[in-house]
Structure formats: C-alpha cells, structure tokens
Amino acid sequence: MRNAWRMILVLGLVSVASGMILAGFYGWMGPRIEAQQLREQFEVGFKQIFPEAADFKAVTPVEPLPERVEEPVYQALDSSGNVLGLVYNAIGDGYGGPVKVAVGVDPDQGQIVGLAVLSHTETAGLGSRIEEPSFRDQFAGKPVTDPFEVGRDVDGITAATVSSQAVSRAVGETARGVLEALGYSVPDGATHATPDAETHATTSATPDATSHATPAEKAGGAAGPSVEPVQALFGAGVDLGLPLWPVWDEVGAFQGVVVESSADGFKGPIRVLVAIDPVAGRVQGIQVVEQNETKGLGDKVTLPEFTDQFVGMPLDAAFQVGVDVDAVTRATVSSKAVTEAVAQAVEHVKAIVGQGR
C-alpha cells in the first residue's frame, strides 16, 4: 500500500513538472511562433499584393470591421513611408472548410488591388485552383461596390463553384465595409449609360444612298464609328452615312449597315461595331473597338477565334452564349457582353428595316 502511494506521488510530481516545463516552453515559443506566422503572412500574402511594400503598419478602425475580417487591418508602406494601400485577411466558407485570403484595397480609388490565398482545405485539382493567378487576377481593379457574384461579375472555376464563391464573398462582403470602418467615404457604384436606340432611328426602311451627312449632323452631335474599324469590316473605299451608317463601296453600291452597340463586360462597357447585311438577313462581321477586360482572359473577345463565329449568323439566331455562341474559356461575362451587344445591334436593324423574327 505504501509503495502504491509513493508511486502516485511520484507520478503526480512528474505530471506537474512536465506541465510547468511545457507551459514555460510554449510561453517562450508562442511569441516567436506568432512572429514567424506574421512574417510569413507579410511575405507570402501581403507582399504578393504589394510587392513594392517595405513595411506593414496596423491601423485602428473607427467603426466595427465586417464579420469575416481578421483584425488588424494594415497599411502597406513603401520605403519612404508612403501609403500604397490597405491589406487585411478575410475568411470565406469553402467546400472543404474555411478559405483564408489576403485582400488588398486602394482606398483612394475604391478598388481591389489584388488578393492572395493564404490557406484552405479545398479539393486538389478542383477547388484548390483558387490559388491560380488566372482566377485571382480577375479581382484586381474591381470597384469595392461591385456585386462580386460568381456567374455575374466573377468567373467561377469549373466544378468548383463553392470554392469560387468562398473567395468572392470573402472579398465582396468585406472590402467596402473595411473602408467604411476606417472612415473612408465610398461612393455608390457607377452605372454605364447605354446608347439610346432612338437616336439612331430613321423614318425610312431603306438606307438612303444620297444622304451623306456626317454622324454629328444626323444625330445632333452624336459621334459615329471611325472609318478605320469599318474599313476593317467592309474593306477600303467605303463611305459612311447616318442613321445606322449605311455603307457603300467606291462605286456607290450599297454594302450593308454598321451599328455601334455596347454592353457591360467584366471590367466595364465593351463597345462593338456590328456589320449587318439587312437584305441577306445576316451578320457580316463584328469588331470590338473598346474594352478593358482582364488581360489574357476577357480581352480574348477581340481575337478572330471568338469574333469570327458571328460572321454569317442569320438575324433570327438566338445570339446566346452556350446556345449558338461559344464563350471564351474562363471569360463568360466578357463573352456574354459582346454577344449581347451584337444581339442589340441586330434587333435595332430588324426594327428599322421591318424584319420580324
């Protein structure tokens, strides 16, 4: 019995001593581990967004931060102490668990600078692709007032919608709130005016080859398409008129009409010239003349591989991505914008020349 009590006493003393040693060890190592994690956060995450940053300084919000944000928020500073922007960590609900991202914001412009995925447990080869630049880069330059909705203004990863939504929500549900919590004024999202179809209307169903007034004269100062893009569609030696800018060749033979149309793409309006032969009832070709889509993704809507598929399409076609138009891979929003602009131009011509579906 005495030996049993002795053994219990020894084990108790060993347990207490071990606990004290471990507590002391963690007390000593804890701050060092946190410092290392912070350094990794700065180097791996924050500097990926602000590579020119020399330091990151924590700032104190004047209002509560959004729920998904981890405190603190940091200012990114260059070597001279100038503020490059703000950066913070946010959490999204992924398919395999929490998705932690670092988000950079330009408070002066009210735009996202970029993001870095810090940690996740998403499926390898599917949800894990949220780490890839082809997905992350689409957030750079987006106003904080954008909806950040997959399928609307964010291109999701195929077969990884939940993972894509996790990142989108981590950004969209925090960026504006962070700026407001720090006292910045955030304007409402700007809306893009679309051309009024009535300004291009004509009282004649047939283009008047004798009318060669300038676009400004015919449309009360509205600017028409420049000659160069139209020549790229119809060839050299064309003559432009209004409304609907009928096009003639060098001997005065009617070639068709050109309509300028636009629709909202991923990063703003995409302006398109659409050449239409109303007699044959088909699209002769299109040219994207203005866009600000993501380089290497959405800007591929300007390439012949995409635009050439509209050549010869009948005016009664559906003009829908996934139906009779093939989208640019990972640029669905941009592809839909161009397709919508073409469809608007076709409907405008049909309404004027009296061709119903």
Side-chain angles (χ1 to χ4, degrees):
M1 185 68 179
R2 185 178 299 171
N3 291 335
W5 281 110
R6 184 181 295 114
M7 185 178 295
I8 291 172
L9 179 62
V10 171
L11 290 174
L13 291 174
V14 169
S15 297
V16 171
S18 299
M20 294 177 63
I21 292 172
L22 287 173
F25 177 77
Y26 283 116
W28 177 71
M29 285 297 297
R32 289 165 174 77
I33 293 173
E34 291 179 1
Q36 178 61 29
Q37 290 175 339
L38 193 59
R39 280 194 296 271
E40 290 177 356
Q41 175 177 276
F42 287 164
E43 295 299 324
V44 177
F46 292 0
K47 293 208 71 171
Q48 189 177 143
I49 301 170
F50 292 103
E52 65 274 35
D55 192 15
F56 297 94
K57 178 184 177 182
V59 292
T60 303
V62 295
E63 298 289 344
L65 291 168
E67 183 178 349
R68 294 183 181 274
V69 175
E70 287 187 349
E71 296 192 51
V73 175
Y74 295 89
Q75 287 180 331
L77 307 174
D78 65 15
S79 57
S80 300
N82 299 312
V83 178
L84 302 173
L86 302 172
V87 63
Y88 61 91
N89 293 334
I91 305 296
D93 299 320
Y95 181 80
V99 175
K100 184 176 181 178
V101 298
V103 184
V105 182
D106 182 339
D108 296 325
Q109 298 296 323
Q111 295 180 344
I112 304 299
V113 176
L115 67 87
V117 177
L118 300 178
S119 63
H120 68 85
T121 54
E122 301 304 277
T123 306
L126 291 174
S128 65
R129 295 177 61 193
I130 56 176
E131 299 179 16
E132 297 177 0
S134 57
F135 175 73
R136 294 186 292 103
D137 289 352
Q138 65 181 309
F139 292 89
K142 285 179 65 61
V144 298
T145 52
D146 276 7
F148 292 92
E149 294 181 8
V150 172
R152 181 177 176 187
D153 64 328
V154 174
D155 289 333
I157 297 170
T158 303
T161 303
V162 176
S163 304
S164 305
Q165 289 174 340
V167 176
S168 299
R169 289 171 179 166
V171 179
E173 295 179 9
T174 61
R176 179 170 184 163
V178 165
L179 292 183
E180 292 174 338
L182 293 175
Y184 290 96
S185 175
V186 182
D188 291 333
T191 57
H192 302 292
T194 55
D196 183 355
E198 292 181 357
T199 62
H200 296 297
T202 178
T203 58
S204 172
T206 304
D208 181 6
T210 63
S211 176
H212 293 277
T214 65
E217 292 169 338
K218 283 284 190 173
S226 60
V227 175
E228 291 79 10
V230 177
Q231 288 177 333
L233 294 170
F234 283 102
V238 299
D239 189 7
L240 302 182
L242 268 178
L244 278 187
W245 304 298
V247 180
W248 300 270
D249 63 16
E250 60 273 10
V251 297
F254 177 67
Q255 298 294 301
V257 295
V258 169
V259 182
E260 181 179 332
S261 183
S262 68
D264 287 335
F266 183 73
K267 287 192 172 182
I270 299 178
R271 193 160 59 93
V272 184
L273 287 183
V274 186
I276 298 173
D277 184 344
V279 178
R282 62 183 177 83
V283 176
Q284 291 178 281
I286 74 166
Q287 185 171 1
V288 178
V289 294
E290 184 178 344
Q291 56 84 26
N292 191 36
E293 302 302 277
T294 305
K295 188 175 181 180
L297 290 174
D299 67 350
K300 289 184 178 180
V301 295
T302 63
L303 300 179
E305 289 82 356
F306 178 74
T307 59
D308 285 355
Q309 65 184 313
F310 292 93
V311 177
M313 290 185 69
L315 301 189
D316 60 356
F319 293 101
Q320 293 181 13
V321 169
V323 177
D324 53 357
V325 176
D326 293 329
V328 174
T329 302
R330 301 185 61 75
T332 304
V333 176
S334 306
S335 304
K336 285 182 176 179
V338 174
T339 305
E340 179 184 345
V342 175
Q344 289 174 356
V346 169
E347 289 301 317
H348 185 45
V349 170
K350 286 164 61 177
I352 290 176
V353 301
Q355 294 185 27
R357 281 192 174 184

